[in-house]
């Protein structure tokens, strides 16, 4: 660490410059960064069994329902099956919310309620530099976005980005096709971009999961090594015979 008081005594003209360099360096280290995301189309999430399109691999980090309110009760989807609870939020990244009565034709009350609401940005695409936070650098994540509406705008398309130039395939706004993004976090935050052909992007909900491969326990490694040792011993015996 630089001792600015002593530096100022020896080099009075150098201290301000060193301080400025240190501040710039600190800011560059502290600022949020965006990892590259690999995008793909996911399962359909509309129709009577649309809730079964919610992926359950890995471990759940968060499930979020964007409804323009942070006081509404959480919503549990398919309690007898996938049993996933969505927290209802008022996202700071969108400036409007909407409620329709279609629900994607889903028979699960919870999922239907989630699909009945969405948040949207009026007249502008969105770059949210810390849309996903609380990440662990080096961990692998999968985010599943749910964005659809049937009450209007069937010719519109929407897609997503990571701030690094990687974009998902445009999806028609009323097809109820989810979008998957997989990435390895390089910081605690992750940038997400929301695009719409009419510059009015929407989002109903999303699910973030940690899909980092499990590291074997020490006992598992010991058993694997013991197995390899026995295999090598058997091979040597067979050659000797």
């Amino acid at each position: 660490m630089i001792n600015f008081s002593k530096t100022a005594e020896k080099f009075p003209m150098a201290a301000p410059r060193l301080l400025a360099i240190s501040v710039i360096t600190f800011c560059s280290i502290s600022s949020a960064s965006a990892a590259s995301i690999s995008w793909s189309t996911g399962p359909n999430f509309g129709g009577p069994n649309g809730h079964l399109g919610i992926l359950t691999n890995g471990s759940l980090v968060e499930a979020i329902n964007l409804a323009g309110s942070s006081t509404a009760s959480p919503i549990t989807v398919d309690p007898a099956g996938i049993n996933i609870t969505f927290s209802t939020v008022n996202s700071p990244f969108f400036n409007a919310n909407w409620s329709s009565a279609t629900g994607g034709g889903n028979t699960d009350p919870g999922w239907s309620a989630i699909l009945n609401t969405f948040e949207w940005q009026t007249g502008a695409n969105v770059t949210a530099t810390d849309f996903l936070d609380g990440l662990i650098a080096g961990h692998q994540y999968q985010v599943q976005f749910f964005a659809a509406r049937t009450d209007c705008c069937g010719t519109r398309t929407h897609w997503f980005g990571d701030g690094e130039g990687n974009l998902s395939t445009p999806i028609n706004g009323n097809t109820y096709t989810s979008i998957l993004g997989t990435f390895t976090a390089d910081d605690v935050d992750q940038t997400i971009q929301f695009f719409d052909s009419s510059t009015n992007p929407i989002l109903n909900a999303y699910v973030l999961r940690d899909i980092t491969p499990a590291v074997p326990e020490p006992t598992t490694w010991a058993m694997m090594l013991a197995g390899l040792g026995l295999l090598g011993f058997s091979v040597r015996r067979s050659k000797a015979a």
Side-chain angles (χ1 to χ4, degrees):
M1 180 178 293
I2 298 174
N3 189 323
F4 287 102
S5 60
K6 291 185 177 180
T7 302
E9 294 174 2
K10 294 182 179 180
F11 308 102
M13 298 300 294
R17 181 179 299 178
L18 289 172
L19 178 61
I21 293 174
S22 299
V23 169
I24 293 172
T25 302
F26 177 77
C27 291
S28 64
I29 294 174
S30 301
S31 61
S33 60
S36 295
I37 296 180
S38 176
W39 299 100
S40 61
T41 55
N44 184 277
F45 60 92
N49 296 314
H51 57 286
L52 300 181
I54 304 172
L55 298 179
T56 58
N57 55 315
S59 59
L60 179 66
V61 177
E62 62 179 358
I64 301 296
N65 166 37
L66 284 76
S69 172
S70 58
T71 59
S73 300
I75 297 176
T76 300
V77 174
D78 192 17
I82 59 176
N83 191 30
I84 181 171
T85 299
F86 285 75
S87 299
T88 300
V89 304
N90 181 10
S91 173
F93 301 107
F94 299 90
N95 63 9
N97 60 281
W98 187 261
S99 178
S100 63
T102 57
N106 192 257
T107 54
D108 180 83
W111 191 233
S112 182
I114 289 174
L115 297 186
N116 278 341
T117 58
F118 60 85
E119 292 189 27
W120 61 303
Q121 180 70 24
T122 56
N125 292 318
V126 175
T127 295
T129 56
D130 56 351
F131 187 83
L132 303 175
D133 58 11
L135 306 177
I136 301 174
H139 277 224
Q140 297 177 29
Y141 292 92
Q142 169 191 282
V143 60
Q144 185 177 19
F145 288 114
F146 307 97
R149 58 183 298 184
T150 58
D151 56 331
C152 86
C153 322
T155 59
R156 285 164 45 176
T157 58
H158 60 259
W159 62 99
F160 303 87
D162 59 5
E164 296 290 311
N166 302 301
L167 304 175
S168 68
T169 301
I171 297 295
N172 188 275
N174 61 7
T175 59
Y176 286 84
T177 300
S178 62
I179 296 295
L180 300 178
T182 56
F183 63 97
T184 300
D186 61 4
D187 206 334
V188 296
D189 302 314
Q190 175 60 42
T191 295
I192 299 293
Q193 295 174 299
F194 302 87
F195 299 98
D196 181 87
S197 57
S198 68
T199 61
N200 292 281
I202 71 168
L203 186 63
N204 302 76
Y206 71 89
V207 172
L208 179 65
R209 308 192 73 88
D210 189 325
I211 58 172
T212 307
V215 177
E217 296 290 334
T219 53
T220 303
W221 281 115
M223 293 177 64
M224 291 173 62
L225 291 173
L228 290 173
L230 288 173
L231 179 60
F233 178 74
S234 299
V235 171
R236 286 195 298 272
R237 286 194 60 184
S238 60
K239 285 184 177 180

